[in-house]
Amino acid sequence: MTGLTAELVVEGRVPQSPALAPNGHLLCYVLAPTSRIGGHLDTTLWLADIEGDGVWSRATADTATESRPRWSADSRTLYFLSDRAERGIPQVHRLTWADDVVIALTGWRAGIIDHLPLAYPNLVALLAEDEPTEQDTRRAQDRDDAIVVGERERRARLRLLDLRTGQVTTPDVFGDRHVVELRQRPDGGPLAVLTQASADKDYGPRTGRLHLFDPATGTSEDLGPVEADAHSLAWWLAEDGWHLGYVALIPPVLQAGTAVFDLTLDSRVRRNRTTDLPMCPTELCQTDDAPLVVFADGLNTTLARLDPAGPTPLSQHSGRLDALTSTPAGEAIAALIGTRYQPSNVHLGPPTGPLRKITDTRPELDGITFGTQRPLAYRAADGLDLDGLLVLPVGKSASDGPFPLVTIVHGGPYDRHADCCQLFWFPSAQWLATAGYAVFLPNPRGGQGHGHTFAASVASRAGQEEWTDILTGIDLLIAEGVADPDRLGIAGWSHGGFMAAWAIGQTDRFRAALVGAGVVDWGMLAATGENGQFEAALGGSTGWSGIGPHPHDAVSPISFASRIRTPVLILHGAEDTNVPLSQGVYFHRALRHFGTEHEFVIYPRAGHSIRERNHQLDVLRRTRAWFDRWLRP
């Protein structure tokens, strides 16, 4: 039996994007490494006849980034994206199952973002930006490339690939809007098209509109605006005609729970089909009948069918169920599912369950002993029901406590800790449990899995009740003899990093903290982060809200920097556009000013997530070393 090493964590491979063929016999998925060496992430496609020999085989032998597998309606052809010809420029490729031949179908110089094989013969819909002109190329070569914001912005447009001629045409539809998603009606009718005014992540998701597009005539119809952050389109036919559904944020605030919205095409009536449910829809999966809906349900996942009377639960699954794919009739599904002690793999079966595991992409972890993981249920100070997870040190039981306890707060905040394997490159429970720590994974209000009101309660109140929710859980574990009150640490990434920074400005109970890509000033984040107005919904105001002090000052950790006495490890990617590096620099300068013990680590070339192998190894090792330094006797 081997022990868990940092190399085992970062050198694994994970399945992504399962695609079940319409005939239910063939299945494809993407296999991706958990870390990257060099400038490109090399992924591969794997195929199997799951109703035949069930043996997985690699679809291509090229070194490339391969993604987005899509089957033709007759299940004979697999379309996918690959940058084998020019790295970083994906093109559509076709694999014919019968002869195992792969050919490139496009040579679009800007690359293809997404694609959808259509029911129309010899037609594939594409999403792609405009190809660079000769003037664009010359300007880039001459460095005469001043950027005028709002002009010549890069946008994805709908294009059509004729498989007979190889020609790509661009219908003159949707004006200058950015196309986000496509879904064809199950009977082979028009396409539902979701667009935004811009690809800007701060502005675009608040400007969504739905359209219909008929590839046969080249005509379009505007169906009107949709709620913020709309995605996951699905069609279905009911007694009153065709319906079009999608998942989006519940208005009016941008920090909100998601809902399934249902637009009746004939009447143009739109309604929220998941009102007041104590769980949160995450994705829709189109079938020839009613669509399937995936719900984050507390620590677990519920799969339901969207019937006329409302969602009908079909099956429940421990932890997470992601990337759902189905046959047209909906009698078979595939999805990514893991367990407490096994990372996600592709599972297959009927939507009513059970689902069987059909891949094993991390066999190197089979001999690893993990810390015991168990769900927690407790009540907040105001009586609100909460949940979370406790992971004990490897080989220990609760009666062996008290242990040094590290609390890891999830990101988002509209995310959650699910009851699945807690082993990642960022601060993760099983990595710390191997070193003798108990780890608390709280799901405070503001997160996903408990309905809209639960999620929306932190709007303009970041760090308030969600902080006391976390503290209540820590006190519970101290009272139960699991946690040593003199050896407490706190960690998190993104919004979790914010909570760690917030916590140490409110109390000196923690002996060490890790702030990964954390928010320390909500006003600055609204001004510079890629999701500015969504962040302003959490902070409660922006810098242009008039003469301060502003509401966001009262919920920004930087305002409390003078109180911090806890040693802090700050980790941040140099190229982070979600929570820019300036947040980490600001925190570092404040702590340096007040003489607070801290370490500030910047990862070159890294964005909001750390992708390079050596950087991930550094995060893992540095995390344990930091907590060992301050929480060990």
Side-chain angles (χ1 to χ4, degrees), residues 79-86 89-94 103-115 124-128 131 159-163 165-169:
Y79 298 88
F80 62 95
L81 299 184
S82 175
D83 66 355
R84 64 173 69 182
E86 183 178 357
I89 309 294
Q91 305 292 347
V92 178
H93 289 66
R94 178 176 65 195
I103 61 171
L105 300 176
T106 61
W108 194 258
R109 285 179 295 139
I112 306 299
I113 297 170
D114 204 354
H115 63 104
V124 178
L126 308 176
L127 292 186
E131 290 187 293
R159 308 179 197 274
L160 297 175
L161 167 65
D162 189 325
L163 295 174
T165 64
Q167 289 188 332
V168 175
T169 58

Side-chain angles (χ1 to χ4, degrees), residues 306-321:
L306 191 63
D307 289 326
T312 301
L314 300 176
S315 55
Q316 292 188 316
H317 306 270
S318 297
R320 299 181 64 100
L321 183 152

Side-chain angles (χ1 to χ4, degrees), residues 282-366:
T282 60
E283 60 178 298
L284 291 173
C285 181
Q286 179 170 298
T287 72
D288 289 341
D289 194 10
L292 302 175
V293 190
V294 179
F295 285 97
D297 188 0
L299 295 166
N300 302 306
T301 300
T302 292
L303 180 62
R305 184 178 58 241
L306 191 63
D307 289 326
T312 301
L314 300 176
S315 55
Q316 292 188 316
H317 306 270
S318 297
R320 299 181 64 100
L321 183 152
D322 296 303
L324 179 65
T325 177
S326 170
T327 56
E331 82 283 6
I333 63 170
L336 301 178
I337 299 176
T339 70
R340 290 178 183 175
Y341 307 112
Q342 290 183 332
S344 289
N345 272 287
V346 181
H347 286 63
L348 177 75
T352 53
L355 303 182
R356 60 186 176 92
K357 187 175 79 168
I358 59 173
T359 63
D360 184 13
T361 61
R362 297 295 304 273
E364 67 273 16
L365 297 178
D366 289 347

Side-chain angles (χ1 to χ4, degrees), residues 116 181-194 210-214 221 223 232-238 241-246 261-266 284-292 306 328:
L116 180 67
E181 189 176 339
L182 311 170
R183 186 73 65 223
Q184 188 169 25
R185 210 168 68 186
D187 66 346
L191 303 183
V193 182
L194 177 64
L210 276 176
H211 314 259
L212 296 181
F213 173 73
D214 185 347
E221 181 181 358
L223 299 179
S232 198
L233 299 174
W235 288 88
W236 68 95
L237 183 62
W242 284 103
H243 289 239
L244 184 57
Y246 53 92
F261 291 92
D262 169 3
L263 175 64
T264 305
L265 271 295
D266 287 345
L284 291 173
C285 181
Q286 179 170 298
T287 72
D288 289 341
D289 194 10
L292 302 175
L306 191 63

Side-chain angles (χ1 to χ4, degrees), residues 17 132 153 168 205 361 467 571 601 616:
S17 307
E153 287 187 354
V168 175
T361 61
W467 160 235
L571 307 178
V601 183
Q616 289 186 352

